[in-house]
Amino acid sequence: MEMGSSPRTVEEIFKDYSSRRTAIVRALTQDVDEFYGLCDPEKENLCLYGHPNESWEVTLPAEEVPPELPEPALGINFARDGMNRRDWLSLVAVHSDSWLLSVAFYLGARLNRNERKRLFSLINDLPTVFEVVTERKPVKDKPTADSGSKSRGSTKRSSDGQVKSNPKFDEGYEEEDDEHSETLCGSCGGNYNADEFWIGCDICERWFHGKCVKITPAKAESIKQYKCPSCMRRGRP
């Protein structure tokens, strides 16, 4: 693929990423028996490729040096019979996640800082191949004023500008689907919904629907320290 004909915008690169990811997920789940059979340890160094047309392929690495795109992990077939099948598939999944990210950011070499941030946010909203293959569920992070988007981080900025973690939502994996169902909007009392923009008060540390406190993702970008209406009325510092 020539760089001139490569995806250039955030949306185009994310579409390329999504299509390649879909292909690899299918190889490691729906088509896993076929994939397993193709990874013969007696063959030469083999790689798993996901293509932009959502097809996958197990084949030798590209011959040209340097390659047109970053190459996936080499020799995935060699470890197949020396490991537990599930563990081997998980290992291939981890390497595939690394490859997908390397391709996306290679294609995004000309993006500016904000565009790279938006690209990663879109990518990060999808489960990783590893999470799909191992059937893990990522924690639903909460939104912050700093994110200014539907990408739901679990940190806030305190009054001195230092980033602090929300201890209730440290990274990890969900044990139950309703783990965060107790989180309610401080204004309307509605349940947390990962598909809606939320903002956290840096004073009382309660969470609010953006629409309930009339804060949009764009407006949140310019807010260094967010005070909810209650804290504003009480004159809290």
Side-chain angles (χ1 to χ4, degrees), residues 10 14 101 104-105 111 114-126 151:
V10 170
F14 178 64
L101 281 173
F105 280 83
L111 298 179
N114 289 334
E115 289 171 332
R116 289 195 303 272
K117 182 177 180 181
R118 186 155 62 91
L119 174 60
F120 183 76
S121 178
L122 289 170
I123 290 173
N124 204 40
D125 279 344
L126 293 175
S151 121

Side-chain angles (χ1 to χ4, degrees), residues 69-90:
L69 288 175
E71 286 291 299
L74 184 66
I76 58 172
N77 51 313
F78 294 150
R80 191 196 72 176
D81 293 348
M83 298 177 65
N84 173 278
R85 173 167 163 152
R86 183 179 178 86
D87 291 342
W88 176 72
L89 291 172
S90 297

Side-chain angles (χ1 to χ4, degrees), residues 156-230:
K156 290 185 183 179
R157 290 190 183 276
S158 58
S159 57
D160 59 1
Q162 297 297 311
V163 174
K164 59 182 180 179
S165 295
N166 183 343
K168 196 173 181 180
F169 305 112
D170 284 341
E171 62 183 7
Y173 292 93
E174 287 185 336
E175 295 297 328
E176 299 179 6
D177 290 340
D178 61 351
E179 181 178 337
H180 303 312
S181 61
E182 75 280 3
T183 303
L184 305 177
C185 173
S187 179
C188 71
N191 288 321
Y192 169 70
N193 184 336
D195 294 326
E196 295 179 302
F197 174 73
W198 283 57
I199 187 167
C201 177
D202 288 295
I203 307 302
C204 67
E205 299 192 350
R206 289 187 300 167
W207 292 94
F208 300 86
H209 289 111
K211 62 185 179 183
C212 289
V213 290
K214 298 181 180 179
I215 300 292
T216 64
K219 186 175 180 180
E221 286 281 6
S222 62
I223 299 177
K224 292 183 178 180
Q225 183 188 56
Y226 174 68
K227 294 182 183 179
C228 70
S230 295

Side-chain angles (χ1 to χ4, degrees), residues 124-141:
N124 204 40
D125 279 344
L126 293 175
T128 64
V129 177
F130 176 76
E131 287 170 340
V132 174
V133 170
T134 58
E135 298 181 345
R136 296 192 180 195
K137 296 178 181 178
V139 164
K140 298 173 183 176
D141 292 336

Side-chain angles (χ1 to χ4, degrees), residues 1-17 103-112 115-116 118-119:
M1 182 190 305
E2 299 288 339
M3 279 297 287
S5 62
S6 299
R8 290 187 174 186
T9 68
V10 170
E11 289 72 21
E12 288 172 346
I13 296 170
F14 178 64
K15 182 179 180 181
D16 181 272
Y17 170 90
V103 170
F105 280 83
Y106 174 84
L107 295 174
R110 295 186 176 91
L111 298 179
N112 62 37
E115 289 171 332
R116 289 195 303 272
R118 186 155 62 91
L119 174 60

